[in-house]
Amino acid sequence: MYSPGNPIAVVYDDHLLFAESFSAVLERLKLFKSVHIFVDNEHAYLQFLVKHFDEPIYLFLDYYLPEKNALTLINETRRINKKAKIIVVSSISTPTIISHILTYNPNGFLSKSSGVDIVIECVRSIGQDKPYICPQIKAIMDAKLSLADEIPFTARELEMLHYFAQGLSIIETANKTHLSKHTVVAHRRKMMTKARVNSITELLAYARSKELL
């Protein structure tokens, strides 16, 4: 049974039917003070975060959103709300993408095929400050990635890649990441060296070939 001290739950997904169904499950569990839905509306979500910046929030976040993935929201969420817990909820079955997501250090990782018992186990584990990965995702990760499939970029570099893929300039990326333009340039140069490419176009093509975008 929830109490006034319980966290707020947020479901962020671009599929309204899933978001409403999953939020109904969370409400029935009575583990949260309230449950809120955002269907691919980043501006409204960030406004909500600012309003509740000092309250514990559990964000249940889908990976795929139209035109992008939602991982950049992890950094924005943590920047605005230091008490936020991030749980990725996805139907992903590709080890490379799962490894990519894990570089962002989510507090939890759930498959959309998980049952209610797994959701409860995840929430309770995170409540005890223990990260949680559901059995389905663990099973996928048990298939070791070959050296060629390992991801050479840091979490910060992966974040920048997504901004570059959206067509943002060096200055715009610097503003988004709260870094100087010189630091962004240095990161981009390092990424190109790691990928053994000579242009931003080739870098983005490399990232897409590794399913990082």
Side-chain angles (χ1 to χ4, degrees):
M1 188 71 67
Y2 64 74
S3 67
N6 280 26
I8 295 171
V10 173
V11 179
Y12 195 112
D13 195 290
D14 67 313
H15 293 96
L16 180 59
L17 180 60
F18 175 82
E20 289 183 338
S21 300
F22 189 65
S23 65
V25 169
L26 295 179
E27 287 174 347
R28 285 200 303 271
L29 295 178
K30 296 185 177 181
L31 298 171
F32 300 98
K33 181 167 63 175
S34 57
V35 182
H36 305 263
I37 297 174
F38 291 91
V39 182
D40 196 25
N41 190 334
E42 184 174 343
H43 180 69
Y45 168 67
L46 294 179
Q47 285 186 319
F48 176 88
L49 274 185
V50 170
K51 181 179 179 181
H52 300 278
F53 76 96
D54 199 33
E55 295 188 63
I57 288 177
Y58 279 50
L59 170 63
F60 294 87
L61 177 66
D62 190 15
Y63 174 75
Y64 289 114
L65 295 174
E67 306 300 325
K68 62 177 181 179
N69 69 54
L71 291 179
T72 53
L73 282 178
I74 292 179
N75 291 333
E76 281 296 288
T77 298
R78 287 173 170 159
R79 182 180 65 82
I80 296 172
N81 187 316
K82 307 302 183 187
K83 298 179 180 179
K85 305 294 185 183
I86 315 294
I87 302 97
V88 175
V89 185
S90 183
S91 56
I92 291 168
S93 60
T94 306
T96 303
I97 299 179
I98 292 172
S99 292
H100 169 36
I101 293 171
L102 291 175
T103 65
Y104 282 72
N105 297 314
N107 301 92
F109 201 145
L110 295 174
S111 166
K112 284 190 173 180
S113 62
S114 297
V116 175
D117 57 328
I118 296 298
V119 175
I120 294 173
E121 188 176 342
C122 175
V123 172
R124 287 178 175 168
S125 179
I126 293 172
Q128 297 170 2
D129 292 323
K130 299 175 183 177
Y132 183 87
I133 300 177
C134 75
Q136 294 94 327
I137 299 298
K138 282 183 179 178
I140 294 170
M141 291 307 297
D142 281 343
K144 280 191 174 181
L145 294 174
S146 69
L147 208 55
D149 287 330
E150 289 183 356
I151 298 169
F153 305 127
T154 66
R156 178 62 100 177
E157 289 168 346
L158 288 167
E159 179 185 3
M160 290 182 192
L161 268 177
H162 289 288
Y163 290 131
F164 294 151
Q166 293 171 37
L168 271 62
S169 67
I170 294 293
I171 293 177
E172 290 170 328
T173 301
N175 290 335
K176 284 278 189 180
T177 54
H178 308 285
L179 298 171
S180 72
K181 64 179 182 180
H182 302 293
T183 301
V184 172
V185 169
H187 274 295
R188 187 175 70 169
R189 189 180 301 118
K190 287 179 182 178
M191 283 188 281
M192 290 169 63
T193 299
K194 290 176 181 179
R196 299 180 181 178
V197 298
N198 299 308
S199 69
I200 186 64
T201 301
E202 291 177 343
L203 178 60
L204 293 177
Y206 171 86
R208 291 189 177 97
S209 74
K210 296 293 184 181
E211 299 181 312
L212 301 178
L213 295 174

